[in-house]
Structure formats: C-alpha cells, structure tokens
Amino acid sequence: MGRKDGDLVLKDPKMSVQHARIEWRDSEWVLVDLGSSNKLKVDGDRYGEVVLYPGLQVTVGSTTFEVLEKPRSERVKPDELEFTGSVEVPAETITWREILSSLVARLEAAKPTHPPTEIRPFPKTVKLEFISGVQHGTVWHLGYGPRVAGSNSFDLPLFDDAAAESCFLIETSEGKILMRSGSGAIVRLNGHVATTDPTELRSGDRIEFGKTRIRVLME
C-alpha cells in the first residue's frame, strides 16, 4: 500500500509513495514498513513490522486500519489469493538454494551460547502472554525445553526491533523452570537486567525488552 504506488493506493499526504506491504510469514500475516519516516503506529508507538490479529488497530501515514476476522467459511488461504493488475518479477529471481541457505544461517544464529544437551519436559506448562508491544495479544504455551526466543528464532520468533537474534532461553533443571538472556541481549526480568546465568522463573514474573512486556504464568 502507498500514496502513489501499490495494490492499495490512498490519497494520504503522510503516507509514503510505497509505505507498507502485507506478508504471510510463519503462519501469520505481518504488515511490514518499507522504509517510511512515519513507520507503522500501534497505540502511539512506531514499529517496522506488526503482526496482524483480529481487533488490532494500526496507523499507516494518517490512516488507521482495524483488523477484522472473517467467518471461517469465507477465509482464503495465502496460495489462493488473487491480485488485480500486473506483478513484476525481478530479472534475477531468488532460488531455493538461496532461500534454504538463508534459513540455515538464521537457525545457526539462533542457537544459545551454551545450549543444553537434551530436551526435557517442564514440570509445569509455561504460559507467556504478550501484554504490550508489537506482538500484543500473542500467547505461547511451552511444555518442554530448552526454548529459544529471538529475532532469528523459528521456534519463538520476536518482532520487536530491540530483540536480539537469541533474546532469551527457557529451560528446566532439578525440577525448576529457568530463564537466561542471550549473549549481548538486553532483557529485564521483573525490572532487573537478566544475565546469561540461569534464574528461576515463577508465575507472575515479567520479561521485558524494548517495548515488549511478557507476563509469565505457570499452569
């Protein structure tokens, strides 16, 4: 979408010529800013990317959109979408080898500094509720570990601009559920800067980074 160019053209003076596009990524629709000065605004904060979910209101330029959910019978799969107008394909189209190489590189970057050697079930289900930030409304239920959350994580992807490639890790040891930050990540646990040393997580704890706030619940 944009002020002059795009599938959706709006006469909004605060919108860039090409302002944003919608992408299907990791089973979610994501609205991506295309380098505009105004970015995408949610609750007065500016973001480069916004995960779309029903009820979300996002401002592009000076135009505010609300995400609505269609009845299940009317939903369209990404591969069934049809666009009017022409679609330009670059002369040098990206190959599957390049795509897979990029995915492998992201997976390698998402590894924790000191990865545990085995997968273990958690003594309780860990529920992570995003209460603010670009992923507000997202809820993760974790039943085993280790689990790595970060900007390059396939498992638990984080879209906050302040999220590190490996932001934090949740694991279990001796019947306890532990959290530690990734190397170089700036993460706060209950208002205090988290370190790479394991810290026990408890129900009601808060994990914070950038503009994201996550509430921890044990079930």
Side-chain angles (χ1 to χ4, degrees):
M1 65 178 69
R3 188 178 74 250
K4 292 184 178 181
D5 189 11
D7 299 296
L8 177 60
V9 177
L10 299 174
K11 295 181 179 180
D12 184 340
K14 291 189 177 181
M15 190 177 290
S16 298
V17 174
Q18 285 188 332
H19 198 112
R21 68 169 175 264
I22 297 176
E23 298 180 357
W24 179 253
R25 183 192 306 165
D26 299 328
S27 300
E28 295 179 308
W29 290 111
V30 183
L31 185 62
V32 182
D33 181 79
L34 298 178
S36 71
S37 58
N38 292 328
K39 300 295 182 181
L40 308 171
K41 295 181 182 178
V42 177
D43 296 330
D45 295 323
R46 301 185 182 191
Y47 301 98
E49 296 184 354
V50 178
V51 177
L52 302 180
Y53 57 88
L56 174 72
Q57 291 188 345
V58 54
T59 300
V60 183
S62 61
T63 303
T64 299
F65 298 88
E66 181 176 357
V67 181
L68 302 178
E69 184 173 17
K70 279 190 172 184
R72 184 173 297 274
S73 60
E74 298 180 15
R75 293 180 189 174
V76 179
K77 296 180 180 179
D79 56 0
E80 296 175 348
L81 291 176
E82 294 182 0
F83 297 93
T84 58
S86 60
V87 178
E88 295 183 2
V89 179
E92 298 180 359
T93 305
I94 190 169
T95 65
W96 277 109
R97 177 184 291 274
E98 293 171 309
I99 293 174
L100 291 174
S101 297
S102 175
L103 294 178
V104 170
R106 287 179 59 192
L107 185 60
E108 289 293 329
K111 290 183 177 179
T113 307
H114 303 289
T117 57
E118 60 181 295
I119 300 295
R120 297 178 180 176
F122 291 154
K124 295 182 179 180
T125 298
V126 180
K127 183 179 179 181
L128 301 183
E129 294 183 342
F130 287 73
I131 57 178
S132 69
V134 68
Q135 288 171 269
H136 176 265
T138 299
V139 180
W140 289 337
H141 295 265
L142 312 181
Y144 64 90
R147 306 295 290 274
V148 180
S151 61
N152 271 2
S153 173
F154 291 97
D155 185 26
L156 304 175
L158 299 173
F159 302 126
D160 193 305
D161 291 339
E165 292 183 349
S166 178
C167 197
F168 63 86
L169 177 145
I170 297 179
E171 58 188 331
T172 183
S173 178
E174 298 180 352
K176 298 179 181 180
I177 298 174
L178 309 172
M179 190 207 86
R180 50 193 171 96
S181 68
S183 178
I186 301 177
V187 181
R188 297 183 298 279
L189 179 61
N190 298 325
H192 302 285
V193 176
T195 67
T196 55
D197 295 325
T199 301
E200 184 175 2
L201 273 183
R202 301 180 185 276
S203 190
D205 285 349
R206 302 184 321 278
I207 300 172
E208 305 172 344
F209 54 91
K211 297 178 180 179
T212 298
R213 305 289 181 271
I214 301 174
R215 178 167 50 220
V216 179
L217 297 173
M218 305 288 184
E219 298 179 341

